[in-house]
Amino acid sequence: MGSGRASPDGSDESAESRILEFIEAHPGAHLREIKRELNLAMGTVQYHLYNLEREGRIVSRRSGLRKRFYPSTLFGEGQRAILDVLSQETERDILLYVLENPGSTQKAVTEYLGISPGTVNWHIKRLCAAGLIEVMREGHLVRYSVKTDRSEVLRLLREYHPKIWARWADRLADLLAEIGSREEGAEK
């Protein structure tokens, strides 16, 4: 697994293994989350993240103010972008709302989330930059739709964010059934 080295605080390679396993189970985790969930010292986590990334076993991606970590071989760039969003409450809620309600307006999203139009606009710009949301103008009306593969968003949500999946499952059940029936029709 490792090269037998010890971290600055003298801990052994088991910390590195625990960190790698955590990242594999929770792709998109950030430094403080890893530290908190594994109950390790900040220096130990930083040391092992640096080594795992240097060895090519994990990759990092800056998302806003946070650097998120992913197993290097499990996800493509598009999947990492989806996982980044699924790890951030407001952007995740916007993405899932638009997924559930294609063609949503800024007003609808604002009312649903109970946040200002400016805040919705700021998050939408980030979602557009990530290639996940598309903005369509109809005169003065602005509508949003999901630009990425909807079934992939749902798969990643279900596999890596089960608590959030459980909260949204009833609402997304119809959408999942629709996607499933379309895939069945395509196979025939």
Side-chain angles (χ1 to χ4, degrees):
M1 186 77 119
S3 58
R5 63 188 177 268
S7 64
D9 67 357
S11 65
D12 62 13
E13 296 274 335
S14 68
E16 183 175 285
S17 298
R18 288 176 56 211
I19 291 168
L20 183 58
E21 287 170 12
F22 184 82
I23 292 169
E24 288 170 346
H26 303 90
H30 57 84
L31 174 68
R32 291 189 186 283
E33 178 182 5
I34 296 166
K35 174 200 176 303
R36 180 182 62 245
E37 294 298 321
L38 296 180
N39 196 27
L40 294 170
M42 182 65 77
T44 299
V45 175
Q46 290 172 319
Y47 174 83
H48 289 299
L49 287 173
Y50 171 80
N51 284 325
L52 287 166
E53 193 165 14
R54 187 176 47 84
E55 292 168 0
R57 296 165 69 197
I58 64 171
V59 294
S60 63
R61 176 183 162 104
R62 181 136 322 261
S63 176
L65 299 175
R66 292 195 167 128
K67 190 175 191 181
R68 297 188 179 277
F69 298 92
Y70 299 90
S72 60
T73 59
L74 289 182
F75 304 102
E77 193 59 34
Q79 293 168 317
R80 289 183 197 131
I82 294 169
L83 287 164
D84 280 351
V85 168
L86 294 177
S87 297
Q88 300 173 60
E89 185 178 4
T90 303
E91 289 178 13
R92 174 188 62 234
D93 289 348
I94 291 171
L95 179 65
L96 294 177
Y97 182 80
V98 173
L99 189 73
E100 182 184 25
N101 302 284
S104 298
T105 62
Q106 183 183 48
K107 181 179 180 184
V109 174
T110 298
E111 288 174 357
Y112 170 74
L113 291 175
I115 58 178
S116 74
T119 302
V120 168
N121 189 45
W122 186 82
H123 286 291
I124 289 289
K125 284 181 182 176
R126 290 174 47 95
L127 289 165
C128 287
L132 302 177
I133 294 282
E134 184 173 42
V135 176
M136 300 155 301
R137 296 202 178 273
E138 297 173 0
H140 293 294
L141 196 60
V142 176
R143 295 194 178 276
Y144 308 126
S145 66
V146 174
K147 187 176 178 181
T148 192
D149 181 5
R150 298 170 0 159
S151 60
E152 185 68 359
V153 172
L154 296 175
R155 183 187 73 78
L156 292 170
L157 179 66
R158 185 177 56 242
E159 289 181 23
Y160 296 103
H161 296 280
K163 289 178 184 173
I164 298 160
W165 173 258
R167 267 197 344 246
W168 280 82
D170 290 340
R171 296 177 63 188
L172 296 172
D174 293 335
L175 181 61
L176 196 56
E178 175 190 323
I179 290 170
S181 66
R182 255 194 260 138
E183 289 174 356
E184 257 179 43
E187 290 175 4
K188 290 181 181 179

